Amino acid sequence: MNERSSVGELAHSLRSELNRYSPGGKLPSSRALVERYRVSPVTVTRALALLAAEGLVVTRPGAGAYRAEARTATPATGDTSWQEVALSADSATELVPRSVDASGVLVTLAAPQPGVIEFNGGYLHPSLQPQRAMAAALARAGRRPGAWGRPPTDGLPELREWFAREIGGSVTAADLLITAGGQPALTTALRALAPPGTPVLVESPTYPGMLAVARAAGLRPVPVPADADGVRPELLDAAFRATGARVFVCQPLFQNPTGAVLAPERRREVIRIARAAGAFVVEDDFARRLVHEGAPPLPAPLAAEDPDGVVVHVCSLTKATSPSLRVGALAARGPVLERLRAIQVVDSFFVPRPLQEAALELVGSPAWHRHLRAVAQELKSRRDLLAGAVAHHLPALALPHIPYGGYHLWLRLPDALPEAALVATALRSGVAAAPGRPYFCAEPPAGHIRLSFAGVAGPTEIAEGVRRLRTAVDELTA
């Protein structure tokens, strides 16, 4: 064999000679193989690595290569059918079975096939993320004294101070816990505020991840209809009276999926109604940092206007940065804060200190405000482009509200256009849209789809995505 012999040819030769060696027996040295087969040391190294990957040899640095021990027989597949009985037996004793349906969440988390335009995304496209600023912040954080030590269970004091200033009002760092993003904070809040088997009031439609959290905790979501100005106070009051619920979960700013902002007069009514019912309002303020350029001044969080501890506030840096920067905050006042703290400590101990340090470095850098300005400008441009393309190419799909923040549009389908069929046909046409059904905890009034303009690469993908969606609509309505 000469120098031009391939790695594959050498591996084949060595494979055919392995039976000469007993299991655990040492093969000739690399130098001996080089001389025998007249190949380079690199070829020998790569051929042995290939055999090691196949499980035929074991390489030990400084000692050589050995024939692998005989493989043990593959264990027989176990019988897990007993779990069906065990899991269903648990639900028989519960008022509300704690089934976990993550399908509505996975729609926004699952990566589409190559070539599919991702209108179903729930995060900023990598081109919109502050990746250089985050990398620099992480590098600086890693060099901070004590950065790899154990943090306070409530979170770094400086980071809690920053979140308190962002919320405003009389909220202080003492009212805050640092969380691993918004979703764990919602989970903690619902577990703290509502015992299993009880109702929890939610906007209709609402974020599927919140519905999944509630059901996994054994709670019964009860819908309260909302319109372009947010949840309807008279229906919220009626729902509290009818159900005896002690929790209402809402997104007052750029609600997911409608994009609605709770009207000023309704903000005061929501807190008053909850206070009269002896109930908490869980405020999911997930999109405050995704405001669009040219938007009017934003209303303060509900928590900033609530001195009586009615509002439990949830916010996060994740939506405005990266799916992996999972740092958020949970704010509450009164005895409930201790219960929230206890549940979080039991569940996760604390948020890793390097991540908290990196978040603190990021929001304290000049790059943070530059990033927010750039995102605001880009989101407005993309929103206008998508809304215009939908109006021009998909006039049968109603767009009742164009938001001035957030990252998506909520479209109502005509009665003749089945939601499930449209989503499936669109995917075959190369565009992924989020179906509307998971956003409702009861029967939806009509079919809907949600289109994200933040998770795509840019204007070209938006235009092409609408074209593909039009192809799917035409196929179903021809």
Side-chain angles (χ1 to χ4, degrees), residues 134-151:
M134 289 189 295
L138 189 61
R140 292 193 302 270
R143 295 192 295 268
R144 282 188 170 195
W148 296 92
R150 184 179 64 194

mmCIF file of all heavy atoms in Angstrom, residues 134-151:
data_model
loop_
_atom_site.group_PDB
_atom_site.id
_atom_site.type_symbol
_atom_site.label_atom_id
_atom_site.label_comp_id
_atom_site.label_asym_id
_atom_site.label_seq_id
_atom_site.Cartn_x
_atom_site.Cartn_y
_atom_site.Cartn_z
ATOM 1 N N MET A 134 -23.588 40.401 23.738
ATOM 2 C CA MET A 134 -23.752 39.333 24.729
ATOM 3 C C MET A 134 -22.442 38.579 24.937
ATOM 4 O O MET A 134 -22.102 38.215 26.070
ATOM 5 C CB MET A 134 -24.864 38.371 24.284
ATOM 6 C CG MET A 134 -26.259 38.963 24.382
ATOM 7 S SD MET A 134 -27.581 37.750 24.106
ATOM 8 C CE MET A 134 -27.284 37.329 22.385
ATOM 9 N N ALA A 135 -21.713 38.333 23.851
ATOM 10 C CA ALA A 135 -20.432 37.640 23.983
ATOM 11 C C ALA A 135 -19.451 38.458 24.814
ATOM 12 O O ALA A 135 -18.737 37.927 25.685
ATOM 13 C CB ALA A 135 -19.847 37.348 22.599
ATOM 14 N N ALA A 136 -19.416 39.773 24.557
ATOM 15 C CA ALA A 136 -18.523 40.636 25.323
ATOM 16 C C ALA A 136 -18.945 40.689 26.787
ATOM 17 O O ALA A 136 -18.106 40.657 27.699
ATOM 18 C CB ALA A 136 -18.523 42.042 24.722
ATOM 19 N N ALA A 137 -20.261 40.746 27.032
ATOM 20 C CA ALA A 137 -20.758 40.781 28.410
ATOM 21 C C ALA A 137 -20.411 39.488 29.143
ATOM 22 O O ALA A 137 -20.016 39.519 30.322
ATOM 23 C CB ALA A 137 -22.264 41.005 28.410
ATOM 24 N N LEU A 138 -20.554 38.362 28.468
ATOM 25 C CA LEU A 138 -20.238 37.076 29.093
ATOM 26 C C LEU A 138 -18.752 36.975 29.412
ATOM 27 O O LEU A 138 -18.361 36.468 30.476
ATOM 28 C CB LEU A 138 -20.666 35.933 28.180
ATOM 29 C CG LEU A 138 -20.599 34.524 28.756
ATOM 30 C CD1 LEU A 138 -21.507 34.395 29.974
ATOM 31 C CD2 LEU A 138 -20.999 33.496 27.696
ATOM 32 N N ALA A 139 -17.916 37.485 28.497
ATOM 33 C CA ALA A 139 -16.470 37.460 28.752
ATOM 34 C C ALA A 139 -16.106 38.329 29.948
ATOM 35 O O ALA A 139 -15.309 37.929 30.796
ATOM 36 C CB ALA A 139 -15.721 37.922 27.498
ATOM 37 N N ARG A 140 -16.696 39.523 30.020
ATOM 38 C CA ARG A 140 -16.413 40.397 31.163
ATOM 39 C C ARG A 140 -16.942 39.784 32.454
ATOM 40 O O ARG A 140 -16.294 39.845 33.498
ATOM 41 C CB ARG A 140 -17.043 41.780 30.943
ATOM 42 C CG ARG A 140 -16.420 42.587 29.828
ATOM 43 C CD ARG A 140 -16.864 44.048 29.882
ATOM 44 N NE ARG A 140 -18.319 44.198 29.812
ATOM 45 C CZ ARG A 140 -19.003 44.328 28.679
ATOM 46 N NH1 ARG A 140 -18.364 44.286 27.510
ATOM 47 N NH2 ARG A 140 -20.318 44.480 28.707
ATOM 48 N N ALA A 141 -18.134 39.183 32.369
ATOM 49 C CA ALA A 141 -18.732 38.583 33.568
ATOM 50 C C ALA A 141 -17.878 37.460 34.114
ATOM 51 O O ALA A 141 -17.734 37.309 35.331
ATOM 52 C CB ALA A 141 -20.135 38.065 33.233
ATOM 53 N N GLY A 142 -17.319 36.667 33.222
ATOM 54 C CA GLY A 142 -16.511 35.534 33.659
ATOM 55 C C GLY A 142 -15.258 35.939 34.400
ATOM 56 O O GLY A 142 -14.683 35.136 35.144
ATOM 57 N N ARG A 143 -14.824 37.178 34.215
ATOM 58 C CA ARG A 143 -13.606 37.666 34.886
ATOM 59 C C ARG A 143 -13.911 38.404 36.182
ATOM 60 O O ARG A 143 -12.996 38.815 36.888
ATOM 61 C CB ARG A 143 -12.829 38.593 33.942
ATOM 62 C CG ARG A 143 -12.286 37.893 32.701
ATOM 63 C CD ARG A 143 -11.284 38.777 31.970
ATOM 64 N NE ARG A 143 -11.913 39.978 31.440
ATOM 65 C CZ ARG A 143 -12.421 40.085 30.218
ATOM 66 N NH1 ARG A 143 -12.401 39.030 29.407
ATOM 67 N NH2 ARG A 143 -12.953 41.224 29.799
ATOM 68 N N ARG A 144 -15.193 38.580 36.483
ATOM 69 C CA ARG A 144 -15.525 39.283 37.727
ATOM 70 C C ARG A 144 -15.127 38.448 38.944
ATOM 71 O O ARG A 144 -15.285 37.219 38.933
ATOM 72 C CB ARG A 144 -17.031 39.549 37.790
ATOM 73 C CG ARG A 144 -17.507 40.717 36.951
ATOM 74 C CD ARG A 144 -18.973 40.998 37.249
ATOM 75 N NE ARG A 144 -19.426 42.241 36.647
ATOM 76 C CZ ARG A 144 -20.535 42.863 36.969
ATOM 77 N NH1 ARG A 144 -21.314 42.347 37.924
ATOM 78 N NH2 ARG A 144 -20.897 43.978 36.384
ATOM 79 N N PRO A 145 -14.635 39.079 39.993
ATOM 80 C CA PRO A 145 -14.320 38.321 41.209
ATOM 81 C C PRO A 145 -15.568 37.622 41.745
ATOM 82 O O PRO A 145 -16.626 38.238 41.879
ATOM 83 C CB PRO A 145 -13.822 39.402 42.177
ATOM 84 C CG PRO A 145 -13.357 40.525 41.301
ATOM 85 C CD PRO A 145 -14.248 40.501 40.107
ATOM 86 N N GLY A 146 -15.437 36.341 42.011
ATOM 87 C CA GLY A 146 -16.550 35.576 42.553
ATOM 88 C C GLY A 146 -17.611 35.200 41.552
ATOM 89 O O GLY A 146 -18.688 34.712 41.933
ATOM 90 N N ALA A 147 -17.346 35.415 40.241
ATOM 91 C CA ALA A 147 -18.376 35.172 39.224
ATOM 92 C C ALA A 147 -18.841 33.726 39.191
ATOM 93 O O ALA A 147 -19.960 33.443 38.759
ATOM 94 C CB ALA A 147 -17.861 35.589 37.846
ATOM 95 N N TRP A 148 -18.000 32.816 39.614
ATOM 96 C CA TRP A 148 -18.364 31.394 39.548
ATOM 97 C C TRP A 148 -18.741 30.836 40.913
ATOM 98 O O TRP A 148 -18.875 29.624 41.079
ATOM 99 C CB TRP A 148 -17.212 30.595 38.931
ATOM 100 C CG TRP A 148 -16.983 31.013 37.514
ATOM 101 C CD1 TRP A 148 -16.129 31.980 37.079
ATOM 102 C CD2 TRP A 148 -17.669 30.535 36.370
ATOM 103 N NE1 TRP A 148 -16.226 32.125 35.719
ATOM 104 C CE2 TRP A 148 -17.158 31.238 35.256
ATOM 105 C CE3 TRP A 148 -18.648 29.563 36.157
ATOM 106 C CZ2 TRP A 148 -17.609 31.008 33.951
ATOM 107 C CZ3 TRP A 148 -19.091 29.335 34.866
ATOM 108 C CH2 TRP A 148 -18.579 30.052 33.787
ATOM 109 N N GLY A 149 -18.943 31.720 41.852
ATOM 110 C CA GLY A 149 -19.374 31.294 43.173
ATOM 111 C C GLY A 149 -20.888 31.187 43.270
ATOM 112 O O GLY A 149 -21.622 31.426 42.310
ATOM 113 N N ARG A 150 -21.351 30.850 44.444
ATOM 114 C CA ARG A 150 -22.783 30.695 44.676
ATOM 115 C C ARG A 150 -23.425 32.068 44.836
ATOM 116 O O ARG A 150 -22.986 32.870 45.661
ATOM 117 C CB ARG A 150 -23.032 29.859 45.923
ATOM 118 C CG ARG A 150 -24.505 29.567 46.202
ATOM 119 C CD ARG A 150 -24.637 28.713 47.439
ATOM 120 N NE ARG A 150 -24.161 29.430 48.628
ATOM 121 C CZ ARG A 150 -23.909 28.849 49.794
ATOM 122 N NH1 ARG A 150 -24.047 27.541 49.926
ATOM 123 N NH2 ARG A 150 -23.494 29.570 50.827
ATOM 124 N N PRO A 151 -24.481 32.379 44.076
ATOM 125 C CA PRO A 151 -25.122 33.691 44.215
ATOM 126 C C PRO A 151 -26.135 33.690 45.345
ATOM 127 O O PRO A 151 -26.524 32.625 45.848
ATOM 128 C CB PRO A 151 -25.835 33.844 42.866
ATOM 129 C CG PRO A 151 -26.227 32.438 42.516
ATOM 130 C CD PRO A 151 -25.102 31.564 43.015
#
